[in-house]
Amino acid sequence: QVQLVESGGGLVQAGGSLRLSCAASGRTFSSRTGGWFRQAPGKEREFVAAIRWSDSSTYYEDSVKGRFTISRDNAKNTVYLQMNSLKPEDTAVYYCGATTPYSIDTDPRRSSGYNYWGQGTQVTVSS
């Protein structure tokens, strides 16, 4: 019933910025946690950032702290990932995920805790 759609990916030069959007549709969106993950060629999906709806607490992977910012707009059922100072190492397919509002409070850094996923959006950072 819940569908997530990512947008905003593309090609950017190192040091540039992109803002990814994840819009939920199909019902009035309600979730305990929303997050962003990425998957680079030859690697498994890894955690990037997450936000908890109850108090807007945020979580970040160490390599993106100070560069990426996750935020949400409840009225638009949308989660954003503002990416600044992009590096070639950030090149990957970025996926947004969300938990149900009644999911147990598991570690938001683990992909296994998310119930819904978007189709992914490609981010390519050139040097």
Side-chain angles (χ1 to χ4, degrees), residues 22-115:
C22 174
S25 63
R27 60 179 291 273
T28 300
F29 182 71
S30 182
S31 176
R32 182 182 297 275
T33 305
W36 288 94
F37 291 75
R38 64 187 181 187
Q39 187 168 17
K43 296 185 177 181
E44 295 185 352
R45 189 173 299 186
E46 68 172 353
F47 170 77
V48 177
I51 185 167
R52 190 167 64 190
W53 260 254
S54 61
D55 59 3
S56 297
S57 297
T58 56
Y59 310 82
Y60 295 97
E61 196 277 324
D62 287 343
S63 68
V64 308
K65 287 182 178 179
R67 300 190 298 122
F68 292 9
T69 303
I70 188 170
S71 61
R72 61 175 173 83
D73 186 335
N74 288 344
K76 297 181 178 180
N77 291 342
T78 301
V79 178
Y80 303 97
L81 184 67
Q82 178 66 46
M83 305 185 295
N84 298 325
S85 301
L86 283 163
K87 304 175 181 180
E89 305 92 276
D90 296 317
T91 295
V93 177
Y94 283 69
Y95 300 88
C96 65
T99 71
T100 65
Y102 47 82
S103 296
I104 59 175
D105 192 13
T106 57
D107 187 352
R109 301 174 183 269
R110 299 192 64 182
S111 61
S112 60
Y114 293 80
N115 306 101

